[in-house]
């Protein structure tokens, strides 16, 4: 049975703090729910139309694939964070900065607003909606960076 053991006899099991565990589960859950809610809102035909619109030009295809890559990177970061790797939380922070800046720019008309944008009458309304949309991610980042126990966990591992 020792052969099948995941950890060698001399290596201690990783004790993940509760807040870090909640943050990682929050990342995975929000990403999966976002995708499910998108498909639920669009339906089968709407999802097919969305994909067809997003691959009309090379630029739109690049943005579509970049958003999928960003989604998979965020999910990978959650698993890396559970292993105590410090770079996982920094990469997740970088993905949030990139997605927020792109959403802000696309919503102001500096990108492809028909695909990835936040509707609003003014810059302040768009910024408010963007903030509300990113609030769960901000809370996850707070759980990863603010508590001393989380900081100590990533410093040690």
């Amino acid at each position: 049975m020792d052969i099948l053991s995941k950890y060698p006899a001399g290596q201690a099991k990783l004790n993940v703090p509760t807040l870090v565990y909640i943050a990682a589960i929050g990342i995975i859950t929000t990403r999966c729910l976002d995708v499910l809610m998108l498909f639920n809102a669009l339906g089968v035909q709407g999802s097919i139309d969305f994909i067809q619109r997003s691959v009309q030009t090379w630029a739109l295809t690049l943005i579509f694939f970049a958003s999928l890559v960003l989604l998979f990177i965020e999910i990978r970061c959650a698993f890396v964070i559970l292993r105590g790797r410090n770079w996982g939380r920094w990469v997740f922070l970088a993905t949030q900065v990139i997605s927020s800046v792109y959403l802000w720019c696309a919503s102001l008309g500096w990108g492809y607003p028909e695909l990835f944008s936040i509707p609003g009458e003014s810059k302040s309304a768009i910024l408010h909606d963007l903030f509300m949309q990113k609030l769960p991610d901000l809370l996850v980042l707070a759980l990863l960076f603010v508590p001393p126990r989380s900081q100590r966990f990533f410093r040690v591992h």
Side-chain angles (χ1 to χ4, degrees):
M1 195 69 174
D2 289 334
I3 295 173
L4 301 176
S5 176
K6 192 171 186 176
Y7 301 99
Q11 184 179 359
K13 235 168 111 171
L14 190 62
N15 190 14
V16 180
T18 304
L19 296 177
V20 172
Y21 196 72
I22 290 170
I25 299 262
I27 294 169
I28 296 167
T29 304
T30 55
R31 296 310 172 262
C32 292
L33 283 176
D34 284 346
V35 171
L36 286 175
M37 288 174 57
L38 179 67
F39 285 126
N40 183 44
L42 295 177
V44 176
Q45 188 59 41
S47 299
I48 292 170
D49 291 340
F50 176 75
I51 292 170
Q52 286 176 345
R53 276 184 291 154
S54 65
V55 294
Q56 288 178 351
T57 65
W58 285 107
L60 289 175
T61 304
L62 179 66
I63 292 169
F64 179 70
F65 283 132
S67 67
L68 288 177
V69 167
L70 206 60
L71 173 74
F72 292 127
I73 288 172
E74 289 173 344
I75 292 172
R76 176 70 178 138
C77 284
F79 289 108
V80 168
I81 286 168
L82 286 175
R83 291 190 184 142
R85 305 292 191 267
N86 190 32
W87 64 265
R89 66 183 183 151
W90 287 103
V91 170
F92 182 71
L93 174 65
T95 62
Q96 293 311 300
V97 169
I98 290 168
S99 64
S100 297
V101 167
Y102 180 78
L103 272 173
W104 173 251
C105 291
S107 299
L108 294 178
W110 299 332
Y112 290 99
E114 69 271 3
L115 279 179
F116 302 104
S117 67
I118 299 170
E121 295 82 34
S122 66
K123 288 182 181 181
S124 62
I126 293 171
L127 187 61
H128 178 265
D129 288 345
L130 176 63
F131 178 75
M132 294 308 288
Q133 202 173 54
K134 289 294 182 180
L135 190 59
D137 298 323
L138 291 173
L139 294 174
V140 165
L141 287 169
L143 289 174
L144 292 173
F145 283 95
V146 174
R149 174 122 178 159
S150 296
Q151 293 173 3
R152 195 169 38 252
F153 174 69
F154 288 109
R155 201 174 317 127
V156 171
H157 295 92

